[in-house]
Amino acid sequence: MAFGVSRQELNDWKDQVRRGEIAYLTHYWLEPKWPGITTVTKVGCSDLQKLTAWCRERGLNPKYIHQRQPYPHYDLIGLKQVAILKQEQLWDQIERFKLLEQTPPF
């Protein structure tokens, strides 16, 4: 479940994904298999070739793309999440979720 985002933010992300744009959505997240991780950034794009290229350009393995139509996405967590959000200059998401104040376990 996504926590900390509005319905409008989620709908905007979905619209961007459906249009074949690379879209970012950070939200609070709890997953028992990732203790200590409290946020995830979903990087979505309905154009799988574009999303695959995006992963490779950032040193991420595209085999971990969740191919859930109509919203395929890659989940960013931990240090990679922060590094890529910085690279993309998504300061609003970094600040909103206090990602620079946390020390992710990986």
Side-chain angles (χ1 to χ4, degrees):
M1 283 202 73
F3 301 98
V5 294
S6 69
R7 182 170 304 280
Q8 185 61 51
E9 289 170 300
L10 180 59
N11 287 337
D12 290 346
W13 180 83
K14 287 178 176 181
D15 290 344
Q16 290 176 305
V17 171
R18 280 193 300 260
R19 287 192 305 261
E21 299 171 19
I22 298 290
Y24 299 84
L25 179 71
T26 301
H27 61 82
Y28 291 111
W29 178 71
L30 296 174
E31 173 56 55
K33 71 179 179 179
W34 302 110
I37 299 293
T38 58
T39 60
V40 63
T41 298
K42 296 195 175 298
V43 181
C45 183
S46 61
D47 180 337
L48 287 175
Q49 289 181 333
K50 190 176 194 179
L51 187 55
T52 296
W54 180 92
C55 288
R56 288 195 174 119
E57 289 165 6
R58 285 152 185 83
L60 303 170
N61 190 336
K63 84 174 189 176
Y64 296 109
I65 293 172
H66 297 277
Q67 296 194 26
R68 298 185 184 132
Q69 294 299 331
Y71 309 109
H73 65 276
Y74 188 97
D75 288 335
L76 291 174
I77 60 173
L79 295 174
K80 269 296 195 193
Q81 175 190 21
V82 175
I84 290 173
L85 288 174
K86 282 181 179 179
Q87 180 183 358
E88 300 297 325
Q89 298 184 16
L90 296 170
W91 303 111
D92 57 328
Q93 293 187 37
I94 291 169
E95 291 168 8
R96 179 176 174 188
F97 294 95
K98 299 176 177 46
L99 298 178
L100 296 179
E101 298 172 22
Q102 304 172 22
T103 305
F106 49 89

